Amino acid sequence: MAIRTIRTEGDAILGKKSRVVTEITPRTQDLIDDMIETMYEANGVGLAAVQVGVLKRIVVIDIGEGPMILINPEILETAGSQTGDEGCLSVPGLSGTVTRPNYVKVKALNEDMEEVIYEGEELLARAFCHEIDHLDGHMYTELVEGELRKVSYNDFDEDDFQ
Ligand code: ZN
């Protein structure tokens, strides 16, 4: 496993649409392992492959309950709404207020290319939306209400999304 470089805002790749994954090759497995390691190293809650420069529809998320790997994720259903702070490893040091659904149901493939259904509320619902947006070239900064705020590292607690 290896830590990969996280692409930051201004890098054109972040605006590109990622491609559907059709098979898990050893290279894809390495990518997934590296994404998880890179997410933990950066204290992130989620990471999309495009953020390490690979245009594949792969997302990893850990809201404190262990790593989830979502391949070709699609949102099936949403309900309710939540308004709260959001940040992104590709936009370091900033956060902003974003409204997202409070409940999200997602269909994805796991590492064995088997279909899995996930349901998330609150932070997990926010993470699903944020990371799946990355796969279509969208950043949370497009959705921020008001101004982006500077966050000092000390302000982070475990409930913050980034
Ligand atoms: Zn992000």
Side-chain angles (χ1 to χ4, degrees):
M1 297 214 287
I3 305 288
R4 302 208 185 187
T5 303
I6 298 177
R7 306 297 185 93
T8 52
E9 211 178 17
D11 190 318
I13 200 165
L14 292 171
K16 294 189 175 164
K17 205 171 155 83
S18 295
R19 289 183 292 271
V20 167
V21 176
T22 53
E23 58 170 342
I24 302 292
T25 62
R27 218 179 133 105
T28 320
Q29 190 59 58
D30 283 350
L31 168 67
I32 293 168
D33 294 344
D34 289 354
M35 284 171 65
I36 292 171
E37 198 179 347
T38 303
M39 171 178 70
Y40 288 147
E41 224 266 329
N43 292 311
V45 166
L47 190 72
V50 61
Q51 293 180 274
V52 293
V54 181
L55 288 169
K56 287 182 196 272
R57 301 187 79 82
I58 302 174
V59 158
V60 296
I61 291 172
D62 189 341
I63 59 157
E65 296 171 355
M68 301 171 72
I69 296 147
L70 292 88
I71 298 164
N72 303 336
E74 280 173 54
I75 293 177
L76 298 178
E77 244 179 84
T78 64
S81 83
Q82 57 174 320
T83 300
D85 254 13
E86 203 162 309
C88 179
L89 295 178
S90 292
V91 191
L94 296 173
S95 77
T97 304
V98 179
T99 298
R100 300 280 194 185
N102 198 50
Y103 163 88
V104 176
K105 186 175 180 180
V106 173
K107 177 177 85 172
L109 300 176
N110 65 18
E111 285 168 290
D112 299 317
M113 296 298 269
E114 297 160 342
E115 193 175 299
V116 188
I117 303 283
Y118 292 108
E119 291 179 289
E121 292 185 328
E122 298 172 1
L123 179 61
L124 184 55
R126 182 176 290 283
F128 284 149
C129 295
H130 178 112
E131 301 307 334
I132 292 170
D133 276 355
H134 272 302
L135 304 182
D136 291 317
H138 293 298
M139 301 283 285
Y140 87 97
T141 46
E142 298 164 34
L143 302 172
V144 165
E145 297 154 29
E147 299 289 313
L148 283 169
R149 293 181 295 277
K150 279 200 175 128
V151 262
S152 78
Y153 185 75
N154 294 332
D155 290 340
F156 277 114
D157 65 47
E158 291 190 351
D159 294 331
D160 280 332
F161 180 89
Q162 68 160 333

